[in-house]
Amino acid sequence: MINRPSSMERVCGLAVAAAVLGLAVSVDGIVAQQESVEDDSGSWSLSGYGVVNYFAFDWDTDPERRSAMDVERLVLYPGYDFGNGIRLDAEIEFEHGGTGVTKEFDKFEEFGEFETEVEAGGEVLLEQLNVRIDLKPWLNLRVGRLKVPFGIASVHDEPREYFRTTRSETEVNLVPTNWYENGIQLFGSLGATERWAYTLSVVNGLDATGFSSASWIVRGHQTRFETVNAENLAVAGRLEYRLAPGVELGLDGYRGNTTDNRPKPDLAVDAPVTVGSVHATLERGPWTVRALGLYGTLENSDDVSQANRNLSNNLNVKRTPVGSAASGYYAEAGFDLLSLADATDQRLDLFGRIERYDSMAEVEGDVFDNPRWQRTAYTVGLNYHLIRQVTFKTEFSHRELGTDEVEKTFSIGLGFEFGFEGESDGG
């Protein structure tokens, strides 16, 4: 197969070149203001959050599934402000209480096999590492490994920012929620009142070998190798409008080919992914309301499914058929019960949520549309904010599958956040 740059990739290349040229001009002005890097009067910061959960299961699909406790994650955000609008940001994530290689028993997509989980050599991940350059309110820049904002869960990811003990089922099962890629990103606020905000990213694309029946393109997020393939680039955009304080509307879009980011040249056709979402949030007084709709397509999904079927076991991928389209939506609402009592800094949010998602909403060729992956979930629960930084959660979730099976889960969670700043010693 002769790999020629697609029209989208040529546009991406031109966008990167233009951004770099603009950056060079701006940096000249910044450097002129800074006489010597030895006179270091910047400041450093460290913030983060953690999540610990307990789960009890009653699943028709897995009657013997055992209750479990999970130190889900500890995330640290070290940063350094150089001054003059230049900042270094990093994110280090410790997942599931440790490091190294883990094993997971997957009876649905691995034919009852034990699956070895290896993420960049273990489960301590450098999720983010980039330099941020603030130029104008309407034009700022990030370069390096950066977050691709998409939907609600990838942006509002700290424990107090979502009701459930775990993140949104719809988003977790259809798109990467810890979505970090390597590239360049422009962002800023628009308009006299700065009610509009945008983000435009040119990043490495996904790897189609990770696509699967249950989670569509989620595992196409490249984490299995020391380096990330960037033969195919992708473009991601986000536009938000602040209708009023605490009320926001947003649109997200993503498009990128995935064929040439596979470890081997074993797919002879293009396999571009296109995903869009619309979301709305309201957080005013005792009320919190959120809603999201998502739809995406994968071209030539039958060819991808066939190629993936022949992959090596050592690649640690699912090798299951892939849908040509995926869709989902959810809506949730919560009310602070303590707002009915005397004034207090604490909150007790009672919430309800409904969501429906299908990772095989459409199929093509000989791919079987497995009804198991059509899922509808109803969740009710409580969030108790002891203080702003500490949240206790409990919930009950009732999930119905297209096969008429039911999965019931009761969970309790703890989430916490922290942060502080310090001055450089000038050394």
Side-chain angles (χ1 to χ4, degrees), residues 59-330:
W59 287 14
D60 292 345
T61 55
D62 189 3
E64 298 180 357
R65 190 178 183 92
R66 302 181 179 186
S67 299
M69 297 193 69
D70 183 16
V71 182
E72 181 182 298
R73 65 189 74 242
L74 172 64
V75 179
L76 303 178
Y77 296 104
Y80 188 80
D81 189 341
F82 297 99
N84 296 310
I86 304 177
R87 178 178 175 83
L88 173 68
D89 288 312
E91 178 179 346
I92 303 169
E93 182 166 329
F94 300 81
E95 292 187 351
H96 308 296
T99 65
V101 179
T102 63
K103 286 189 179 293
E104 171 184 308
F105 183 71
D106 190 332
K107 66 187 297 183
F108 301 116
E109 284 208 286
E110 291 286 337
F111 307 104
E113 298 176 1
F114 286 96
E115 174 191 0
T116 302
E117 288 282 350
V118 182
E119 296 185 10
E123 292 194 66
V124 176
L125 309 175
L126 181 61
E127 296 277 31
Q128 185 175 183
L129 183 64
N130 62 74
V131 171
R132 167 176 170 162
I133 302 174
D134 294 335
L135 304 173
K136 304 286 184 181
W138 54 270
L139 180 62
N140 305 287
L141 181 71
R142 290 188 184 95
V143 180
R145 184 165 181 83
L146 45 87
K147 174 176 285 191
V148 177
F150 195 96
I152 296 178
S154 69
V155 177
H156 301 285
D157 55 356
E158 299 187 2
R160 64 183 171 83
E161 296 177 329
Y162 57 92
F163 284 134
R164 299 199 59 202
T165 52
T166 56
R167 296 170 180 172
S168 161
E169 282 191 36
T170 299
E171 296 173 86
V172 164
N173 287 284
L174 298 183
V175 295
T177 49
N178 287 344
W179 203 340
Y180 297 91
E181 306 289 12
N182 304 294
I184 186 169
Q185 185 175 82
L186 304 177
F187 65 98
S189 301
L190 304 173
T193 58
E194 298 187 354
R195 290 192 173 189
W196 291 93
Y198 78 94
T199 305
L200 180 62
S201 311
V202 179
V203 295
N204 63 271
L206 300 171
D207 168 12
T209 61
F211 298 171
S212 69
S213 298
S215 55
W216 199 45
I217 64 170
V218 172
R219 287 174 172 244
H221 182 219
Q222 299 185 57
T223 59
R224 294 190 298 274
F225 295 96
E226 293 179 350
T227 59
V228 170
N229 290 333
E231 191 70 19
N232 291 140
L233 300 179
V235 176
R238 183 180 182 92
L239 184 64
E240 292 181 291
Y241 178 68
R242 182 165 53 87
L243 190 63
V247 183
E248 293 184 353
L249 305 174
L251 294 170
D252 303 285
Y254 174 93
R255 181 171 173 81
N257 194 13
T258 63
T259 297
D260 298 320
N261 288 338
R262 299 170 70 90
K264 295 181 179 180
D266 55 359
L267 184 61
V269 297
D270 287 340
V273 168
T274 304
V275 194
S277 78
V278 56
H279 58 270
T281 59
L282 179 150
E283 297 180 7
R284 301 191 71 174
W287 286 101
T288 302
V289 180
R290 305 183 185 99
L292 175 139
L294 184 153
Y295 182 80
T297 62
L298 168 63
E299 297 179 29
N300 295 313
S301 62
D302 52 342
D303 293 289
V304 173
S305 299
Q306 180 60 44
N308 288 358
R309 200 172 294 134
N310 299 319
L311 293 171
S312 167
N313 291 336
N314 296 326
L315 191 57
N316 190 37
V317 294
K318 297 295 187 181
R319 299 180 297 159
T320 52
V322 186
S324 61
S327 63
Y329 66 84
Y330 71 80

